[in-house]
Amino acid sequence: NQNKDVMDVVLGVSQIINQNLIMQFNYSFSSSDGYLNDPYKIVSLVDPVTGDPVPRIPAPGVDGPSHEYRFESRPGERTKHSLFGQAKYYMNGKVLDASYRYMTDDWDIDSHTIDVRFRWPIGDRSYLEPHFRYYTQTHANFYRTSLDSSLPLPSYASADYRLGEFDAITLGLKYGWKTESGNEWSARLEAYSADGSVPANLLIGS
């Protein structure tokens, strides 16, 4: 029975540059305190030589997992800072919408996000809108893919891939149209791909 307190503050400004261009800039601050663990995430114990998971021998007649593990443990505090910039540019009916976000926190995670949409009108009532998004981040200072069974347990450890180092790309296409009554309908198809990597110093065994 533990609590978590979260405080978020956003400061922003929007500016019309000219009749075709509008820009926006935001600064975000987030502070979390309390129970920040994911209760369903675990970290496996592995043999320091082979890197294989350590088998678990349950008591006779008792079911349980086949290998040793520990529940994750994260720091009880987290502070995040974000900078965000966005521009929308009108070009003879077409609209370019581009944004960039940088985030850093005291868990040593730094991330960059680029998001671009381009609305292309088709006739008077419909349009196509391609979408591209790129995201990359570094890993948290307590991120571990596994734990060395021969060493004392660290104070904090998590194998949650969302705290690891990875890149992600989203590609999408949206089709929208306006009915004669003035209602707008749209259909969107997007594909998401992520590619993670593990620093060599976090690998255990041969």
Side-chain angles (χ1 to χ4, degrees):
N1 184 20
Q2 301 185 52
N3 297 323
K4 178 174 70 174
D5 298 317
V6 179
M7 181 185 69
D8 292 323
V9 177
V10 179
L11 301 175
V13 60
S14 298
Q15 179 65 48
I16 297 175
I17 307 302
N18 55 46
Q19 63 180 0
N20 296 323
L21 177 63
I22 184 172
M23 302 188 72
Q24 176 184 359
F25 298 96
N26 289 347
Y27 164 74
S28 302
F29 171 84
S30 178
S31 177
S32 304
D33 179 74
Y35 184 75
L36 304 183
N37 295 339
D38 186 327
Y40 302 103
K41 296 296 183 180
I42 61 174
V43 188
S44 298
L45 295 181
V46 301
D47 185 281
V49 177
T50 64
D52 295 330
V54 175
R56 178 178 181 272
I57 304 176
V62 177
D63 294 330
S66 59
H67 296 84
E68 294 286 347
Y69 67 88
R70 298 293 182 267
F71 286 100
E72 74 162 26
S73 176
R74 306 183 186 188
E77 297 179 349
R78 186 182 187 184
T79 300
K80 297 189 294 184
H81 302 272
S82 298
L83 294 174
F84 173 80
Q86 183 180 27
K88 293 186 177 183
Y89 185 57
Y90 178 82
M91 300 172 288
N92 296 323
K94 308 176 187 67
V95 179
L96 175 65
D97 184 349
S99 66
Y100 167 77
R101 182 190 304 274
Y102 170 72
M103 190 281 295
T104 185
D105 67 10
D106 55 0
W107 288 1
D108 288 347
I109 296 179
D110 295 323
S111 70
H112 304 268
T113 308
I114 298 173
D115 194 294
V116 180
R117 302 171 190 268
F118 187 72
R119 178 170 296 201
W120 192 294
I122 303 175
D124 297 330
R125 294 185 179 177
S126 59
Y127 62 87
L128 284 175
E129 185 178 88
H131 175 216
F132 170 79
R133 181 180 184 271
Y134 173 73
Y135 177 84
T136 182
Q137 75 170 37
T138 59
H139 64 84
N141 51 28
F142 56 88
Y143 175 73
R144 303 286 186 275
T145 54
S146 55
L147 296 174
D148 188 332
S149 62
S150 67
L151 299 177
L153 291 175
S155 298
Y156 307 114
S158 175
D160 190 341
Y161 74 93
R162 295 170 297 181
L163 300 176
E165 182 177 325
F166 73 94
D167 303 326
I169 292 178
T170 300
L171 294 175
L173 182 65
K174 176 181 178 181
Y175 175 71
W177 68 95
K178 183 179 293 185
T179 65
E180 293 183 358
S181 60
N183 297 319
E184 182 172 317
W185 297 80
S186 64
R188 187 202 314 261
L189 178 65
E190 291 193 332
Y192 175 84
S193 174
D195 182 21
S197 60
V198 179
N201 64 316
L202 296 183
L203 299 176
I204 301 174
S206 58

